[in-house]
């Protein structure tokens, strides 16, 4: 909680808007992101992706270990594949805050590995996910999403498919 408060204070101090404008702007952005998180991510509602994401969104996530996902249609394709194989059975926003064009959401989700994914055989395991998403908005649309996650069970299950994508791009020290 202290870290979130510190970040909020820092971002607000850098915000060029007047305090009342900043609060209204932040509140609107928070509402947009919470709708996206709960309905878009939590329920895999692609209509919400269409409504709230900028067509040129950039998403940095472990679901694309080769690099950022570029564009709403590419993001939808990646997320639909994930949601089909790993349907969410429970989704809870644990904490959120907004400051200007930035919104931070920390959530917990429960998924079940129902369908083979990137060549890894489904095992019907119930898998918890804990993530922090940092969103940037412009004119009411989400233009960037940076994902930080502690999803060890998911990562261990997906290791056969992820190891080359993640480790293959690393350079050796000289």
């Amino acid at each position: 909680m202290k870290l979130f408060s510190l970040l909020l204070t820092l971002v607000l101090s850098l915000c060029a808007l007047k305090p009342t404008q900043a609060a209204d702007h932040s509140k609107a952005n928070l509402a947009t992101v919470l709708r996206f998180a709960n309905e878009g991510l939590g329920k895999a509602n692609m209509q919400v992706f269409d409504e709230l994401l900028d067509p040129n969104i950039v998403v940095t996530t472990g679901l694309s270990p080769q690099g950022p996902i570029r564009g709403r249609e590419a993001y939808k394709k990646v997320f639909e594949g994930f949601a089909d194989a790993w349907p969410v059975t429970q989704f809870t926003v644990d904490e959120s805050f907004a400051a200007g064009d930035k919104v931070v959401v920390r959530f917990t989700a429960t998924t079940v590995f129902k369908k083979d994914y990137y060549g890894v055989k489904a095992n019907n395991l119930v898998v918890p996910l804990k993530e922090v998403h940092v969103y940037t908005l412009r004119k009411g649309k989400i233009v960037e999403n940076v994902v930080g996650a502690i999803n060890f069970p998911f990562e261990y299950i997906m290791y056969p498919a992820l190891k080359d994508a993640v480790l293959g791009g690393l350079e050796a020290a000289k």
Side-chain angles (χ1 to χ4, degrees), residues 6-171:
L6 241 162
L7 285 171
L8 180 59
T9 302
L10 174 64
V11 174
L12 282 174
S13 70
L14 298 174
C15 187
L17 298 172
K18 292 180 181 176
T20 304
Q21 290 174 314
D24 291 344
H25 187 65
S26 296
K27 191 174 183 179
N29 285 338
L30 181 60
T32 296
V33 168
L34 287 175
R35 181 168 175 237
F36 177 72
N38 284 302
E39 296 177 28
L41 300 179
K43 296 178 181 173
N45 183 337
M46 292 301 117
Q47 182 177 342
V48 171
F49 276 66
D50 290 335
E51 291 174 22
L52 302 180
L53 301 181
D54 184 87
N56 299 309
I57 188 171
V58 176
V59 182
T60 304
T61 172
L63 295 179
S64 179
Q66 303 85 359
I69 300 167
R70 298 189 181 279
R72 179 176 57 216
E73 294 309 312
Y75 186 23
K76 284 170 56 178
K77 184 177 179 183
V78 169
F79 194 79
E80 281 178 311
F82 169 78
D84 187 45
W86 297 83
V88 172
T89 59
Q90 185 176 356
F91 186 90
T92 305
V93 171
D94 301 311
E95 188 168 17
S96 62
F97 69 87
D101 292 332
K102 297 288 186 187
V103 177
V104 177
V105 175
R106 182 174 56 86
F107 67 81
T108 304
T110 303
T111 64
V112 180
F113 191 14
K114 290 283 190 188
K115 291 186 180 177
D116 297 355
Y117 191 60
Y118 287 99
V120 177
K121 294 285 185 200
N123 55 20
N124 214 39
L125 287 177
V126 175
V127 177
L129 304 176
K130 290 192 170 286
E131 299 188 1
V132 175
H133 290 225
V134 179
Y135 296 92
T136 303
L137 289 89
R138 195 169 302 120
K139 297 180 182 175
K141 298 283 187 177
I142 299 168
V143 298
E144 182 181 34
N145 180 9
V146 178
V147 179
I150 303 175
N151 295 330
F152 294 129
F154 172 81
E155 292 161 5
Y156 291 145
I157 291 168
M158 293 305 300
Y159 179 76
L162 289 173
K163 68 179 173 108
D164 292 334
V166 174
L167 300 178
L170 299 177
E171 294 180 24

